[in-house]
Amino acid sequence: MNIGNVPESVGKEIEIRGWVYRMRETKERVFLIIRDSGGIVQVVFNRDHPQFEEAKKLTIESSLIVKGVVKEDKRSPSGYEIIPKKLKIVHIAERFPITRDQSREFLLDVRHLWIRSRRLTAAMKVRSTVLEAFREFYREQGYYELSPPILTPVACEGKLTLFEVKYYDKKMYLTQSWQLYAEAAIFGLEKIFTISPCFRAEKSKTSRHLSEFWMAEMEAAWMEFDELQKSAEECVSHIVQKVLEKNSEDLKLLGREPKALEAVKPPFPRLTYTEALELLERKHGLKIPWGKDLRTIEEDKISSHFDKPVIITNYPKEIMAFYKPKDPRYPKTAKCMDMIAPEGYGEIIGGSERDTDINELITWLKKQGEKPEHYEWYLDMRRYGSVPHSGYGLGIERVVAWLCKLDNIKDAIAFPRTMFRFKP
Ligand code: 4AD
Ligand code: MG
């Protein structure tokens, strides 16, 4: 039986399999806290138990199987205890290197062991729900899941963060985003999504950037900018509500009060980039020249005014990726959006309508130092039955970090990769 189900078996005999999480001995008793994927439970061996001496041999992280009867016990850490009948030791662990109060860096060095900690286990459970909820949201609306190529010949999000890979005697890059391929695939499938790894050589050492991260992306034919924003806010709300439903215990263990997330329902506040600059000046005395991208400190200041994510639209066209189209209503801006999480967790979504004007695309590719001939295959999408279409990408680790109230994005992925951290 999984320890998570122990509360439903009071008075019954059960068998659990797990690991020694904590251990304490007195002359008369051995107190064990056993953990498995579902939680923790106390098992106490009294001196008169035939296996008392055997239980004393156990060490932290030893693996074992215990058969016994479940009893409610207010004093034990989970409120339940198992009165042991039979103990089977599976493996006696060597001295476990992780003890209390160890530095972040040490815990990252032994990530392969720390991954079994209760905190990381809880964060990975939340992550699993986030992935499931994104899939569920789009599947229910008739979207197909389409996996991207990981090796790509061109950049989607600018050359600066490309990872180069030796490809036989040529060079390729690890994908930064599925988007350009999604734009090709909507001509057959119309509505698609993916959840896949993305790679960016991020030189900045922040608590928000990974070199390898997972992006959940959607792309839809016929979809225009307003509908895109709605789809994004509804999807994020669905994810949050699903996490509240399935992971409230995990959130509490991580120090996140579930109540703080209850407000996350549509509609989210919307600001244009220009309105965001006004807000920064009015409320924070920050004068950002129009045309400059928002930095994380500015995003944090904006998000501090809202208890749910905020959608910022219409960034200056000049500083945006080549595929984001001019907005005829405000021609110096693009039909694009970022969604910023509350509490300073930064940008969780980037998306846009896609430019369908082939000449504009060529002009902006050139301006951004790219060779349009490398994008010929992509430009074909504007030659054969072009349609308005839109899509966005959601950073899985950013969302998990926000929902779990983590202080670093590294704990939102099992084995983080950053500029300085690539082992184990
Ligand atoms: O805003 P970005 O760069 O958008 C795109 O890549 C589009 N092509 C997506 C699309 O329209 N299909 O990235 C999308 C999101 C960001 O908002 C952020 O949440 C996350 O991906 N992200 C990162 N997360 C962790 N580490 C990094 N280095 C990240 N870079 C982007
Ligand atoms: Mg972005």
Side-chain angles (χ1 to χ4, degrees), residues 21-139:
Y21 175 64
R22 299 244 185 281
M23 190 174 168
R24 182 165 64 84
E25 260 181 73
T26 64
K27 258 206 182 111
E28 297 301 317
R29 287 187 185 88
V30 178
F31 292 87
L32 300 171
I33 309 287
I34 312 296
R35 65 158 186 87
D36 72 3
S37 60
I40 55 171
V41 69
Q42 176 166 289
V43 182
V44 183
F45 283 86
N46 292 325
R47 191 173 194 82
D48 57 5
H49 193 286
Q51 289 178 293
F52 180 70
E53 288 304 320
E54 217 181 323
K56 275 168 68 173
K57 288 190 206 139
L58 286 163
T59 54
I60 296 293
E61 289 304 316
S62 289
S63 45
L64 47 73
I65 301 174
V66 178
K67 202 182 260 183
V69 175
V70 180
K71 193 182 109 192
E72 251 189 286
D73 180 357
K74 294 256 148 36
R75 295 161 305 173
S76 76
S78 68
Y80 297 89
E81 187 179 322
I82 295 176
I83 313 296
K85 282 199 170 155
K86 187 151 177 42
L87 165 70
K88 180 166 188 277
I89 296 177
V90 178
H91 180 244
I92 297 278
E94 292 177 28
R95 197 185 166 80
F96 199 58
I98 302 176
T99 53
R100 266 170 210 275
D101 303 323
Q102 265 155 340
S103 73
R104 256 205 89 68
E105 289 309 309
F106 176 75
L107 294 178
L108 282 162
D109 288 340
V110 293
R111 185 64 158 210
H112 53 294
L113 300 175
W114 183 234
I115 189 81
R116 53 176 92 178
S117 66
R118 298 195 74 212
R119 263 188 82 78
L120 275 187
T121 300
M124 290 307 111
K125 285 183 187 173
V126 171
R127 182 185 170 106
S128 176
T129 306
V130 170
L131 298 176
E132 178 190 349
F134 182 87
R135 280 208 169 88
E136 178 181 76
F137 182 81
Y138 283 108
R139 269 193 200 292

Side-chain angles (χ1 to χ4, degrees), residues 157 200 293 299 320 323-324 337-338 347 349-351 393 398:
E157 297 299 325
R200 296 194 193 174
D293 207 357
E299 287 174 353
M320 290 290 108
Y323 55 76
K324 301 187 184 180
M337 63 154 177
D338 277 0
E347 182 195 321
I349 281 183
R398 298 265 178 97

Side-chain angles (χ1 to χ4, degrees), residues 156-157 161 176-180 182-183 198-202 204 206 208-219 228 321 323-324 337-339 345-352 354 390-399 409 417:
C156 177
E157 297 299 325
T161 60
Q176 297 168 310
S177 162
W178 158 91
Q179 180 192 325
L180 302 187
E183 287 189 58
C198 291
F199 303 86
R200 296 194 193 174
E202 304 276 6
S204 56
T206 73
R208 291 178 189 174
H209 288 90
L210 294 163
S211 309
E212 176 179 298
F213 63 100
W214 284 67
M215 211 197 293
E217 295 179 81
M218 60 73 64
E219 191 78 28
L228 177 75
Y323 55 76
K324 301 187 184 180
M337 63 154 177
D338 277 0
M339 188 186 287
Y345 281 95
E347 182 195 321
I348 50 175
I349 281 183
S352 76
R354 315 307 190 188
S390 302
Y392 73 78
L394 170 148
I396 294 292
E397 292 77 15
R398 298 265 178 97
V399 170
I409 196 167
R417 267 77 178 104

